[in-house]
Amino acid sequence: MNMKPQEATTAPTTITYGHVDGCALLADVYTPVAGPNPHPAVVWIHGGGLIFGNRTMIRPTFRNVLLDAGVVVVSIEHRLAPETKLIDILRDVETAWRWLRGPGAAQFTLDPARSAAAGGSAGAYLSLLAGSRVKPAPRAIASFWGFGDITRPWEAEPSAYYRTMERMTRERAMQFVGSAPVAGAPLDRGRDNFYLYCRQEGRWLAEVTGHHPTTEPGWFDAVCPLRMIDASFPPTILVHGREDTDVPCEESQELAARMAQLGINHALVIEDQAGHGLARVPPKRVAAIETQAARFVLDRLRA
């Protein structure tokens, strides 16, 4: 779990991009001091296994390179599982894109035709799904340690890695979640304990989707990016640590292989000895990787 948010160095404007189920859906909008007008935009989606996390969890160098190039960066929150299931979380992402192309474009002088999606971990997963679900599609996607098939054993079955940690009981885990929908949550609220429980017990799919691949295999086709990619998929850069114990590196490798098969413009960056979130990688190297990802996106926004 990469629970520590990245520190923001640029003060954003916090806006509400939608309301649903009594929740205000918030986003932090980072605006450049110069650049083309109207501005291109990148929508960032935070990680947290769809269960925890908030809009402050944004990669700082990635954001700052985009800002320096005149791009508006919109870091969104969405409703969280288990109170809200995956299909409705995806609807929040779609709502964010409608805001971007409507009120957001007017308020922040955006060019809706030049927009991209990016995110870390579960946010990368949602960004990859946006590549198929959002119409018109993003110009580019940056996936940081994302995943393409949520029905694979690493996610659908108990995690050997998380089982090395102190066992989290369901009774204790349930203390950190509720029944009323919540969008975004401070990290000190302890929702990561529910994520830990889900991974230890192989309950993530059930709690996040409300479905099971054994009894409803076809339901998962539309929520697995690997199955949704076709020749029209946006150019994509995939970043992953080879020693990732949360999301296996093979997830990005298989996505890259599928993109190569279909002739999709893509790049795969695998960092040896790196864990989830590029853990154990020196800061200068992390900054270089984030810069590479930002420039990949910039090249497609300028095309």
Side-chain angles (χ1 to χ4, degrees):
M1 293 177 287
N2 187 25
M3 295 181 290
K4 184 178 180 181
Q6 302 297 324
E7 295 295 330
T9 56
T10 304
T13 300
T14 300
I15 58 91
T16 300
Y17 71 84
H19 287 90
V20 61
D21 289 342
C23 288
L25 302 175
L26 303 181
D28 281 349
V29 182
Y30 297 87
T31 53
V33 296
N37 198 355
H39 299 285
V42 173
V43 174
W44 173 270
I45 311 176
H46 67 80
L50 306 179
I51 289 171
F52 65 94
N54 58 67
R55 64 189 186 276
T56 68
M57 296 167 62
I58 183 169
R59 305 302 299 187
T61 300
F62 179 76
R63 177 201 60 210
N64 292 342
V65 171
L66 294 172
L67 286 173
D68 288 347
V71 176
V72 169
V73 180
V74 183
S75 182
I76 70 169
E77 292 179 342
H78 53 74
R79 284 172 291 171
L80 299 170
E83 296 92 339
T84 300
K85 301 307 181 191
L86 174 58
I87 289 300
D88 286 324
I89 292 172
L90 287 168
R91 291 191 177 110
D92 292 349
V93 174
E94 292 165 351
T95 297
W97 282 89
R98 287 193 293 272
W99 173 87
L100 183 78
R101 289 169 174 157
Q107 182 177 355
F108 294 98
T109 320
L110 306 179
D111 180 357
R114 292 187 296 147
S115 57
S121 196
Y125 162 71
L126 294 175
S127 297
L128 290 163
L129 282 173
S132 299
R133 297 179 68 94
V134 171
K135 304 298 180 186
R139 283 272 191 100
I141 296 171
S143 169
F144 292 87
W145 36 96
F147 39 96
D149 191 341
I150 59 176
T151 68
R152 295 287 173 82
W154 71 272
E155 191 76 283
E157 298 176 5
S159 164
Y161 168 69
Y162 282 111
R163 284 204 161 206
T164 65
M165 302 178 185
E166 182 180 353
R167 203 63 167 267
M168 177 63 59
T169 66
R170 182 172 182 83
E171 180 181 22
R172 181 162 183 257
M174 292 300 295
Q175 296 175 13
F176 300 97
V177 297
S179 57
V182 57
L187 296 180
D188 60 6
R189 206 171 279 181
R191 293 179 65 93
D192 55 299
N193 289 291
F194 187 81
Y195 177 78
L196 175 61
Y197 159 76
C198 289
R199 294 301 305 274
Q200 288 180 335
E201 303 300 326
R203 292 283 306 167
W204 189 86
L205 282 180
E207 300 290 352
V208 167
T209 73
H211 297 269
H212 196 281
T214 300
T215 56
E216 304 170 88
W219 185 89
F220 287 86
D221 289 345
V223 295
C224 288
L226 188 65
R227 306 180 195 179
M228 294 296 294
I229 293 172
D230 61 22
S232 66
F233 199 77
T236 300
I237 183 166
L238 303 142
V239 177
H240 223 117
R242 194 178 297 279
E243 305 302 324
D244 194 327
T245 51
D246 193 343
V247 178
C249 183
E250 289 78 15
E251 288 293 307
S252 286
Q253 290 173 315
E254 290 187 3
L255 285 163
R258 178 64 174 154
M259 292 174 186
Q261 183 183 43
L262 293 171
I264 297 165
N265 187 329
H266 72 284
L268 175 62
V269 180
I270 297 177
E271 188 69 6
D272 290 336
Q273 301 180 338
H276 196 62
L278 297 184
R280 301 185 299 276
V281 177
K284 285 186 178 180
R285 176 58 184 156
V286 172
I289 293 170
E290 292 183 30
T291 298
Q292 180 180 353
R295 287 175 176 165
F296 180 97
V297 170
L298 284 169
D299 286 346
R300 278 74 195 173
L301 290 176
R302 292 166 174 161

